[in-house]
Amino acid sequence: MGTYEEQRVARQRFDVADAAPVLLDAQGVVTSWTRDAQRLLAYAPGEVVGTRVAGLLSAEDAARVPELAERCRRDGGWAGLLTARRKDGRPVRVMVRVTSALEPGGPAQWLVLLSEMAEAPGWDMSRTVLEQMVAGSPVGIAIVDASLRFVWSNAALEEFGGGPARHRLGLRLADVQPGVNAEAVEEQMRGVLETGEPVVGYEHVDRLRSAPHRETAHMLSFTRLEDDRGRPMGVYYTVVDITDRHRARQRLALLDRAGEQIGRSLDIVRTAQELADVVVPAFADSVAVDLLEPVLRGAELPAGPLSTTDRVLLRRAGHQTVHDDVPETVVRVGDVAGYRAGSPPVLSLTTGRPWREPHLDPRAKEWATGGDPGGRAATFLELGLHSAMIVPVRARGVTLGITTFFRRHRQEPFDEDDLSLAEDLVSRAAVCVDNARRYTREREAALVLQRSLLPHRLPDQDAVEVAAEYRPADELTGLGGDWYDLVPLSGARVALVVGEVPGHGIDAAAAMGRLRTAVRTLAALDLPPEEVLAHLDDLVATAAREEGVGPDTAAADSTQAVGSGCLYVVYDPVDGQCTMAAAGHPAPAVVLPDGTVTFVDLPQGSALGAGGLPFESVELALAEGSTLALHTDGLLAQGRHGAADEGARDRLRRALERPEPSLAVRCRTVVDALVPARPNDDVALLMARTRLLGADQVADWDLPADPAVVADARKEATRQLTEWHLEELAFTTELVVSELVTNAIRHATLPIRLRLIKDRSLICEVFDGGATAPHLRHPRTTDEGGRGLLLVSQFTQRWGTRFVPDGKIIWAEQSLTDPPV
């Protein structure tokens, strides 16, 4: 390294203070030549000033001047090594720094600093230094002569096989590593020797002894070495191991090919065969795709675990192998593959987890026994199979079958990376298989539609505790249009609805959806049950007439819901009153708080759209804790002929009398007790246990028809809010009370009552004896009135009108959870 003083002197050669400055104009002409520059290159100022700087450089660097000038103009300067010519012709290696010397308002100039590099370490390195660099490099490096025989190599090359460097001398690549495809590598070397053009990034894939039974990949670069006269002496090359990158590229290519070739049709067997064709022979030597029988039929998979007492039977949907000389014991496409209980395929099928065995026991018998239970099973040795993987075919959380991968001639066993790739491939194919299965399942689509039209979650409310159970007749066939719903109404009341559309399939489900939507729309009008059914009957009949469908036509049970049944119940938790009406539907059962079961004597109206007498409703008072059981006729009509027998009500009574820990359990228990595993008809059961609002949740006042009472009404409402700790709602409530009571006094008749209800929201109701509903107005800025209901609509969560037998009720709700307006 030299003494400290020597190093200091060497570093100073790069300092600006020791550099020889030279000035150039914009065209590269020397305009100033200093004594330091004269000392460095021996030219007098008169010999240089006015000449181009290119004349002071070697021919090679002089040709670079235009390029360097452009870089200076673009970057504002440049620094690097150049070779200058002294006056005596001797070349001098100099470090050059070019910076702008432009003065404001003056011509463009460049300051050039020249520093001699002759004694600077690191630029003219010795052979010893260069050998240290290449010998210690982690990249494999070698030099071969013109005959392609090794003359030198570094230690890193030993990692790629072929032994120590001293054993390579004088030998060719094929002699050093016989297992390598040396011809391809030497062909690259010869091309470099002949043309002189270097080869960079040549990828060579082979099976080397340094990595037995495994494909390896290396990246090589070749450069020709020449003597002083330019004649080729040999080739210098480098080697880098890129096996991991190569394998990753292969996996990505295989996944891309799988994405292009798997799932090109909606045929299940063809999709399974496409999976097998993609992975053989690129990934495995033999592949079998076995699916459950219902999958091939496009059917829903059977409920419950698979029976594994003896054999599990699957259907071979896809198979591919490298060679056709597979023993006869291999199951062909379309045949049944029976797997022994406890075998890896059965375990993978039942658990949904993959299985891998790098080295199969050659004496073990192959798992598949074929369709004949007494058939002979070959050993893995007879089949020539030595490594295996099993990946379940799973899509959307359901196991549809299994895919088995074998290696027979390919010697390397399956590893964890192979298993991960196999899971990716099978998962893609599984989605395609499942899509094909769904495509062939039109009747299943009807069930999906029907389920989507049923409420996923009943609304939260405090009037009743509810539980519902829906049981389809068959998950593949016989789909009906049974449905249930709960609709919150004004005044803390709720509407309970159960209905049934005749017929099956998508048409019935679609009709049920339209009917349920119509009921919810009519419920929002706060009509009595008999009027809701009357409007619903008109809608069904009108739609049927427009489509030319009558009660007795073949399409009556199709898309128009003619003949549908509906039970509509309204329950009021303030006084426990329950009002209901039915259109061609069974009356509900009532379970009293003491457990006694009764059935409501409800007049039966005609089915919807069938025509008949007007609908009638009944009203009854329910004690708190009573349970209403609304059901479709399928709950009672589960006899041999699909009709309700004389003992159906007794069976329902006994089922409802059984005590259960919760309403949800009771609902499910009733259906389980009355409905077989495969019911004849759809069943819907909606159970609602009544609640009553406490006396401290309701406050009401009778008001005289005197405008002066409005102020008293506001005060009473404010006092009540204080008792309920709802002072933050006082301002809005005073506004609502003032507007609604004022309107009742001005435009309606006696009696007038004000009622406040504290439920999940604060409800303000004003009753009057009038029969005219108010209308929301949008007054002009010059109008002196007419803004009452507009303000109510803006300051409350919702508001509306409902009619009762002796008048009407204007109501408004404020949320107890949202911040007050």
Side-chain angles (χ1 to χ4, degrees):
M1 296 293 294
T3 66
Y4 172 78
E5 182 62 23
E6 291 173 339
Q7 295 181 39
R8 186 186 65 80
V9 172
R11 286 196 299 270
Q12 284 181 344
R13 294 184 180 275
F14 295 95
D15 293 342
V16 175
D18 294 333
V22 177
L23 280 178
L24 306 178
D25 64 10
Q27 285 72 38
V29 176
V30 178
T31 60
S32 176
W33 188 258
T34 64
R35 283 183 294 180
D36 289 334
Q38 181 176 353
R39 174 183 53 78
L40 179 62
L41 299 181
Y43 291 101
E47 298 174 306
V48 177
V49 174
T51 65
R52 292 187 176 274
V53 72
L56 302 176
L57 302 176
S58 65
E60 180 180 356
D61 286 344
R64 297 177 57 196
V65 168
E67 173 197 349
L68 298 180
E70 177 61 28
R71 293 177 63 178
C72 288
R73 285 191 292 270
R74 184 181 68 243
D75 302 333
W78 178 82
L81 290 172
L82 295 176
T83 301
R85 292 187 300 104
R86 286 175 57 89
K87 185 176 180 180
D88 57 10
R90 180 170 62 86
V92 179
R93 195 69 168 164
V94 293
M95 178 67 184
V96 180
R97 293 180 179 84
V98 183
T99 59
S100 176
L102 178 64
E103 297 182 359
Q109 293 187 85
W110 296 97
L111 173 63
V112 181
L113 302 177
L114 305 177
S115 300
E116 187 175 1
M117 302 301 297
E119 300 179 5
W123 298 104
D124 296 325
M125 290 180 287
S126 65
R127 175 175 177 174
T128 303
V129 176
L130 292 174
E131 286 182 351
Q132 290 177 3
M133 292 173 56
V134 296
S137 172
V139 177
I141 303 174
I143 298 176
V144 298
D145 60 17
S147 299
L148 305 184
R149 298 182 181 276
F150 285 97
V151 297
W152 181 88
S153 62
N154 67 349
L157 194 67
E158 299 175 10
E159 300 296 328
F160 301 95
R166 62 180 181 275
H167 294 166
R168 296 174 178 267
L169 297 177
L171 300 178
R172 294 173 60 171
L173 182 59
D175 302 326
V176 176
Q177 295 176 270
V180 173
N181 183 11
E183 293 183 1
V185 177
E186 290 187 347
E187 182 180 353
Q188 297 293 324
M189 294 181 182
R190 292 191 188 94
V192 172
L193 282 173
E194 293 174 1
T195 64
E197 294 292 333
V199 174
V200 178
Y202 168 72
E203 294 188 13
H204 180 72
V205 180
D206 216 325
R207 294 176 184 270
L208 301 178
R209 289 185 177 180
S210 59
H213 313 310
R214 196 168 184 83
E215 195 174 65
T216 58
H218 300 91
M219 180 178 289
L220 297 91
S221 296
F222 307 91
T223 304
R224 187 171 77 176
L225 299 177
E226 302 172 348
D227 59 15
D228 294 340
R229 298 182 180 181
R231 294 176 299 185
M233 297 172 53
V235 174
Y236 159 87
Y237 74 90
T238 61
V239 185
V240 178
D241 190 342
I242 59 168
T243 301
D244 291 342
R245 191 198 321 175
H246 172 71
R247 288 173 62 84
R249 272 206 310 263
Q250 283 185 316
R251 295 173 187 275
L252 290 175
L254 187 59
L255 289 173
D256 287 342
R257 191 159 64 250
E260 295 174 355
Q261 299 183 13
I262 298 177
R264 291 176 294 183
S265 70
L266 289 172
D267 183 271
I268 297 175
V269 174
R270 181 176 174 183
T271 301
Q273 186 61 45
E274 288 168 348
L275 170 62
D277 292 340
V278 164
V279 298
V280 176
F283 180 66
D285 295 325
S286 179
V287 171
V289 182
D290 300 319
L291 301 177
L292 292 167
E293 188 72 34
V295 175
L296 292 170
R297 299 197 310 267
E300 190 67 45
L301 296 178
L306 293 172
S307 175
T308 58
T309 55
D310 183 15
R311 292 188 309 157
V312 175
L313 300 181
L314 301 176
R315 184 74 64 175
R316 180 63 46 87
H319 180 257
Q320 187 57 270
T321 182
V322 174
H323 298 284
D324 295 331
D325 58 344
V326 180
E328 295 179 356
T329 52
V330 174
V331 181
R332 305 295 180 178
V333 173
D335 293 343
V336 172
Y339 290 102
R340 299 182 181 87
S343 63
V346 174
L347 293 176
S348 183
L349 183 68
T350 55
T351 64
R353 293 192 295 268
W355 176 90
R356 177 178 67 91
E357 181 53 58
H359 303 285
L360 292 169
D361 183 357
R363 296 170 296 179
K365 291 184 178 180
E366 204 257 344
W367 311 303
T369 62
D372 181 9
R376 173 185 174 275
T379 64
F380 288 119
L381 180 62
E382 292 173 331
L383 294 173
L385 307 174
H386 67 86
S387 186
M389 294 188 302
I390 302 173
V391 178
V393 181
R394 288 180 60 82
R396 299 174 176 92
V398 178
T399 302
L400 308 176
I402 57 172
T403 302
T404 308
F405 301 82
F406 288 107
R407 280 186 176 166
R408 186 182 183 199
H409 299 285
R410 186 191 295 248
Q411 296 183 358
E412 65 266 22
F414 288 117
D415 58 18
E416 286 293 337
D417 290 339
D418 293 326
L419 181 60
S420 177
L421 177 60
E423 289 182 285
D424 287 341
L425 292 169
V426 174
S427 66
R428 296 190 181 202
V431 173
C432 297
V433 168
D434 196 52
N435 287 339
R437 178 176 69 97
R438 289 168 176 261
Y439 177 76
T440 60
R441 194 183 53 192
E442 183 274 336
R443 286 173 294 185
E444 175 65 16
L447 179 61
V448 173
L449 176 61
Q450 186 180 38
R451 287 176 175 172
S452 67
L453 294 174
L454 291 173
H456 296 287
R457 179 175 174 273
L458 295 174
D460 293 331
Q461 40 72 45
D462 291 333
V464 291
E465 177 190 355
V466 290
E469 187 76 11
Y470 175 74
R471 193 74 54 87
D474 189 271
E475 292 196 353
L476 299 173
T477 60
L479 300 178
D482 289 15
W483 55 283
Y484 59 88
D485 209 347
L486 182 148
V487 185
L489 302 176
S490 64
R493 300 168 306 128
V494 292
L496 304 170
V497 193
V498 168
E500 180 176 8
V501 174
H504 304 284
I506 294 178
D507 289 338
M512 177 266 286
R514 290 195 294 269
L515 199 59
R516 176 171 175 253
T517 302
V519 170
R520 292 185 69 89
T521 303
L522 292 171
L525 300 177
D526 257 340
L527 300 174
E530 67 276 12
E531 293 188 32
V532 170
L533 294 183
H535 285 292
L536 199 61
D537 181 68
D538 288 340
L539 289 174
V540 173
T542 300
R545 286 194 301 270
E546 291 175 353
E547 295 294 330
V549 178
D552 300 326
T553 61
D557 61 345
S558 181
T559 60
Q560 298 303 328
V562 175
S564 298
C566 183
L567 172 64
Y568 191 89
V569 179
V570 175
Y571 174 71
D572 190 340
V574 175
D575 54 11
Q577 291 298 311
C578 180
T579 309
M580 63 185 71
H585 201 88
V590 179
V591 183
L592 300 177
D594 61 1
T596 304
V597 178
T598 62
F599 292 89
V600 180
D601 186 11
L602 180 64
Q604 280 294 312
S606 301
L608 298 175
L613 296 176
F615 298 102
E616 297 181 47
S617 64
V618 297
E619 184 173 348
L620 63 155
L622 295 177
E624 185 174 14
S626 301
T627 301
L628 283 166
L630 290 72
H631 60 86
T632 57
D633 59 7
L635 188 67
L636 304 179
Q638 295 297 337
R640 177 177 302 178
H641 302 290
D645 53 36
E646 295 180 356
R649 276 197 169 187
D650 290 335
R651 290 194 297 271
L652 176 58
R653 186 193 308 274
R654 289 193 296 271
L656 290 172
E657 288 175 345
R658 298 173 187 171
E660 296 294 345
S662 68
L663 190 64
V665 174
R666 169 175 282 187
C667 189
R668 185 166 54 252
T669 302
V670 169
V671 175
D672 290 340
L674 300 179
V675 179
R678 293 187 177 276
N680 299 319
D681 193 8
D682 283 11
V683 174
L685 173 62
L686 178 65
M687 300 188 71
R689 182 178 293 152
T690 62
R691 297 167 176 158
L692 285 177
L693 297 182
D696 59 342
Q697 293 180 269
V698 181
D700 55 8
W701 301 269
D702 290 322
L703 304 176
D706 183 0
V709 81
V710 175
D712 295 331
R714 288 198 301 265
K715 292 178 182 179
E716 290 295 329
T718 302
R719 181 187 58 78
Q720 186 63 54
L721 293 184
T722 302
E723 292 184 9
W724 286 340
H725 304 290
L726 299 177
E727 293 86 352
E728 67 275 8
L729 300 181
F731 174 78
T732 303
T733 304
E734 286 185 1
L735 173 66
V736 172
V737 169
S738 179
E739 294 299 333
L740 298 186
V741 171
T742 299
N743 285 342
I745 294 175
R746 286 181 178 178
H747 306 293
T749 60
L750 293 174
I752 299 174
R753 285 194 299 272
L754 169 65
R755 183 167 71 168
L756 296 180
I757 302 174
K758 178 189 174 186
D759 187 36
R760 289 177 176 262
S761 60
L762 177 64
I763 305 168
C764 177
E765 296 182 341
V766 174
F767 167 83
D768 63 61
T772 304
H775 298 284
L776 184 67
R777 294 175 54 193
H778 295 276
R780 295 169 296 182
T781 56
T782 57
D783 292 344
E784 295 182 359
R787 297 178 176 83
L789 289 180
L790 179 62
L791 292 174
V792 170
S793 67
Q794 296 297 313
F795 280 82
T796 60
Q797 190 176 24
R798 61 178 188 146
W799 73 281
T801 304
R802 73 174 183 268
F803 290 92
V804 292
D806 52 350
K808 68 176 182 297
I809 295 174
I810 312 297
W811 56 268
E813 290 185 8
Q814 299 177 67
S815 173
L816 297 184
T817 56
D818 297 337
V821 179

